[in-house]
Amino acid sequence: MTLEAPTDRRKRRTHAAVLDAAQVLFLREGYRRTTIDLLAGEADVAVSSIYANFVEGKADVYAALAWRIATRHAEAMSAPIEGSAPRREVAAVFDRYVAFHRENPLALRLLALTDVDVSESESAARAKKQIDDVLGGLIESFSAAVELAGCDVESRALVLISWAAVNGAYSLYQRRMVDEATLNVMLGIARADLLEHVGGQDEA
């Protein structure tokens, strides 16, 4: 199975429907409680159609969904930022990272392949490598933007600690250890901490 959508139109529709259903069910029920029958019902497809597209079943669905989220993450983070001063560009990239995770509450689990052992499916192992490559590219791109803006610490380390702060804040929020107001305060602190190390005095 490839992680990308099939070229055949009918298979592509089934592929997309199953991934859309998985995104709903994995968030609502969790990966372990989601069954192939539940997926088929939510996607309005036959169980046999799921296995025709995802040979190893649920683990392959999870891997393909993780890859779809990774590609959307890359697209959201990599879109051009027109006419921004370097410091504002750093702030805008940080804001996009925050917005992506706000809009995709499963992203942290999916991108880490938290719920599936890569030994469960060849697709999961392939997804892990491809996702690691995508995330590595985003880190390097963001680090380059920080470097261009001027930075008083090692740029890659600054990017990683800012992303870790966002990830940690969202993880606490998803576990209901903090409310949304506290989450927003934490994200604001993480943003301010990042920009404190970035050169320039323009508004960000």
Side-chain angles (χ1 to χ4, degrees):
M1 186 207 102
T2 61
L3 295 169
E4 291 79 14
T7 54
D8 177 80
R9 186 184 305 172
R10 188 173 58 184
K11 286 187 175 181
R12 189 166 62 245
R13 279 199 304 266
T14 300
H15 187 273
V18 172
L19 295 190
D20 290 344
Q23 193 158 351
V24 170
L25 289 171
F26 292 162
L27 182 61
R28 189 178 73 210
E29 306 291 338
Y31 174 73
R32 298 296 169 194
R33 287 192 302 273
T34 297
T35 64
I36 290 293
D37 285 339
L38 278 175
L39 275 172
E42 183 74 25
D44 195 23
V45 301
V47 167
S48 59
S49 295
I50 294 181
Y51 283 107
N53 281 270
F54 304 95
V55 177
E56 297 295 330
K58 192 169 64 168
D60 277 4
V61 173
Y62 191 96
L65 179 59
W67 176 239
R68 185 171 78 172
I69 288 288
T71 57
R72 289 180 177 176
H73 191 18
E75 289 165 6
M77 294 288 288
S78 304
I81 301 168
E82 299 294 337
S84 289
R87 189 167 187 266
R88 287 184 185 172
E89 183 169 341
V90 169
V93 173
F94 178 88
D95 292 342
R96 286 179 177 187
Y97 188 81
V98 168
F100 181 82
H101 285 287
R102 190 181 300 277
E103 293 161 12
N104 296 276
L106 267 177
L108 287 177
R109 295 189 71 82
L110 286 167
L111 294 175
L113 294 172
T114 301
D115 299 298
V116 63
D117 190 315
V118 294
S119 66
E120 289 183 55
S121 98
E122 186 181 311
S123 294
R126 192 162 59 252
K128 182 183 186 316
K129 182 180 187 319
Q130 291 182 201
I131 290 168
D132 287 350
D133 289 345
V134 165
L135 295 179
L138 291 177
I139 290 166
E140 295 310 315
S141 175
F142 194 12
S143 299
V146 168
E147 193 72 35
L148 181 64
C151 180
D152 63 3
V153 294
E154 202 273 308
S155 59
R156 190 171 188 276
L158 181 60
V159 166
L160 290 172
I161 197 66
S162 70
W163 282 19
V166 172
N167 294 353
Y170 272 114
S171 178
L172 291 171
Y173 176 66
Q174 288 166 2
R175 294 175 64 185
R176 296 182 174 85
M177 295 179 71
V178 300
D179 61 15
E180 187 170 4
T182 304
L183 169 67
N184 290 334
V185 171
M186 293 169 73
L187 295 173
I189 292 169
R191 188 181 193 272
D193 286 349
L194 167 68
L195 293 175
E196 183 180 342
H197 294 285
V198 177
Q201 298 302 316
D202 54 300
E203 288 294 321

